[in-house]
Amino acid sequence: MHEISLVRSIFNTLESEFSKKELDTMTAINLRVGLLSNVEPLLMQNAFDAVTTAEEKYQGVKLQVELVPIEIHCNDCQSSSIVENYKFVCASCGKPNNNVVKGTELLIHQVHFDS
Amino acid sequence: MDKIQKSTKTARGTVTCDNTTMHLLKANDFVAASIREKMTEKNILLINITSSAGSGKTTLLQETARRIGGKVNMKVLVGDLETERDADRIRETGVDALQIVTGGICHLEAQMVWQAMENLNLEGVELLIIENVGNLVCPASFDLGEDYRVTLIATTEGDDKPKKYPRMFLTSEMMLVSKVDLLEHLPFSVEAVVADARDVNPNIKVLEVSSTKNMGIDAWCEWLLEKVKEKQNTKKEVTA
Ligand SMILES: Nc1nc2c(ncn2[C@@H]2O[C@H](COP(=O)(O)OP(=O)(O)OP(=O)(O)O)[C@@H](O)[C@H]2O)c(=O)[nH]1
Ligand SMILES: [Mg+2]
Ligand SMILES: [Zn+2]
């Protein structure tokens, strides 16, 4: 798994968006992780703890991981539905559909600062 | 960032940042886009072959190289955790291959492919095949700039794998059921695996192959040659 490199990527991303001064007041990071992103929230949490401890930075920062379900949009009947059990069919008209509109994301959704 | 303007305002409280700048794979996707651009410019068809460890990727590529290595100008990039063995096996067939040793990383990233390409003479090349690291999880998330992703599933594996690794099958153009010469000895059902894969990706193409008993290899090579031709033709349309 590549959770460790994702944690480094979180830090790199934050460091290019915010100043050191801002990051010193950071208290929490919210990730949005699609069910199709192949990221296991628990492993992500462990990797985050491991890296923050090893590199002695962002140590009191909380990581929250929000799982996003898979959503498809049907162009035939113009409706959106949630994919259950990885069966990619439109819930309203029953046609096979893999037009995924949500569920692959892997992004920083929110950053909380104590200021 | 949608709520703050960098450098003019200090980030405070809660900052919501639902846009692509906070996308964690953006570095990979950026390089993948560069690869795609370069391959389009040179009209090289780029194929990314994935599977679990040992499903028969290298054996299939050896057989493919023997068949069409004389017809199209092809090269192979092989990702492997530690060794150079698979590239040696491809080179035995007379096709140029380069190993990317990932040093323990369980997938290829676009940056690794980009660097490897700099050590590969791409002049006149029409087909570049990448053998990814044997693993159906991580490689699914890393776009390498390929035109098509092809995933092997061997008859020695579970026929319910597509739903266990949906991202991979969702993003694959083709599923190759490999080692079909062993079918009669195994509980594996081709019908079941195809149904499972089509639940995830209704459009996925399926071929059954055996690299050791020469089954389905013609159909596979034909598909490849057809796609090479399509890629070559896009050039003529652009320059015409
Ligand atoms: N019976 C049978 N065995 C095969 C076939 N293709 C490959 N094998 C055997 O399966 C084993 C693994 O094959 P490889 O081609 O090395 O598999 P791979 O996917 O490249 O493996 P990794 O690179 O380690 O992930 C070897 O012992 C092959 O001889 C096939 O069509 N039929
Ligand atoms: Mg191999
Ligand atoms: Zn519908």
Side-chain angles (χ1 to χ4, degrees), chain B residues 85-145:
Chain B
R85 279 201 50 233
D86 284 358
D88 289 341
R89 285 169 60 195
I90 307 284
R91 278 190 291 259
E92 281 165 18
T93 67
V95 161
D96 191 13
L98 192 70
Q99 190 85 39
I100 305 175
V101 178
T102 64
I105 297 176
C106 54
H107 57 270
L108 285 176
E109 294 188 12
Q111 187 63 40
M112 302 175 191
V113 172
W114 182 265
Q115 274 167 4
M117 277 175 176
E118 291 182 344
N119 297 312
L120 206 61
N121 182 1
L122 292 176
E123 223 28 66
V125 171
E126 297 160 292
L127 170 63
L128 181 60
I129 303 185
I130 303 170
E131 176 182 334
N132 216 313
V133 180
N135 163 0
L136 286 176
V137 186
C138 308
S141 303
F142 292 85
D143 182 10
L144 303 180

Side-chain angles (χ1 to χ4, degrees), chain A residues 1-2 9 13 16-17 22 32 36-38 85-88 96 98 106-113 115, chain B residues 1 6 10-11 13-18 21-24 107 137-138 141 163 166-167 170 199-202:
Chain A
M1 293 303 287
H2 50 270
S9 172
T13 305
S16 71
E17 290 288 339
E22 289 169 319
R32 274 211 175 144
L36 281 170
S37 71
N38 287 325
N85 300 319
Y86 299 114
K87 201 164 166 56
F88 288 75
N98 57 6
L106 180 48
L107 46 86
I108 300 172
H109 167 54
Q110 284 183 333
V111 188
H112 302 273
F113 299 93
S115 59
Chain B
M1 307 298 304
K6 208 187 167 192
T10 305
T14 297
V15 175
T16 301
C17 28
D18 274 348
T21 64
M22 297 300 242
H23 174 38
L24 295 181
H107 57 270
V137 186
C138 308
S141 303
K163 281 224 189 119
R167 175 103 185 237
L170 189 65
D199 267 356
V200 174
N201 180 354

